[in-house]
Amino acid sequence: MTCTNEQLKFSVFIINQISNSLEKPPSVVFNYLAESGVLDDYIIGCYDSLHTLGREYLVEDITGLLHDRGFAI
């Protein structure tokens, strides 16, 4: 999926926030997000809505979505 510069910056922000929260390397978080489809389908696909939300909510929401898709994080 192609993305805009803003979507790319937002994706990097989310990856780093989840990485900090889970105390896992950003590369591991990126792999979870990419393999699960959450990166393309949700983070980039729903950028217009998601970028208006708070950091803590986003981390909880996205880690919950990963869990729902069978990724033990």
Side-chain angles (χ1 to χ4, degrees):
M1 171 178 259
T2 59
C3 64
T4 66
N5 192 37
E6 291 82 17
Q7 291 168 323
L8 179 60
K9 288 178 185 178
F10 180 69
S11 298
V12 170
F13 169 77
I14 292 296
I15 290 167
N16 283 311
Q17 293 304 309
I18 294 172
S19 171
N20 291 337
S21 176
L22 299 177
E23 298 180 350
K24 295 192 183 268
S27 60
V28 170
V29 173
F30 171 80
N31 288 334
Y32 286 147
L33 295 171
E35 290 174 18
S36 68
V38 171
L39 183 60
D40 287 337
D41 299 341
Y42 189 60
I43 296 172
I44 294 172
C46 298
Y47 166 78
D48 290 338
S49 298
L50 293 178
H51 84 280
T52 65
L53 302 173
R55 177 187 51 83
E56 290 178 16
Y57 175 82
L58 288 168
V59 170
E60 289 179 26
D61 184 49
I62 293 169
T63 54
L65 185 55
L66 284 169
H67 179 73
D68 291 347
R69 293 190 180 191
F71 284 79
I73 47 176

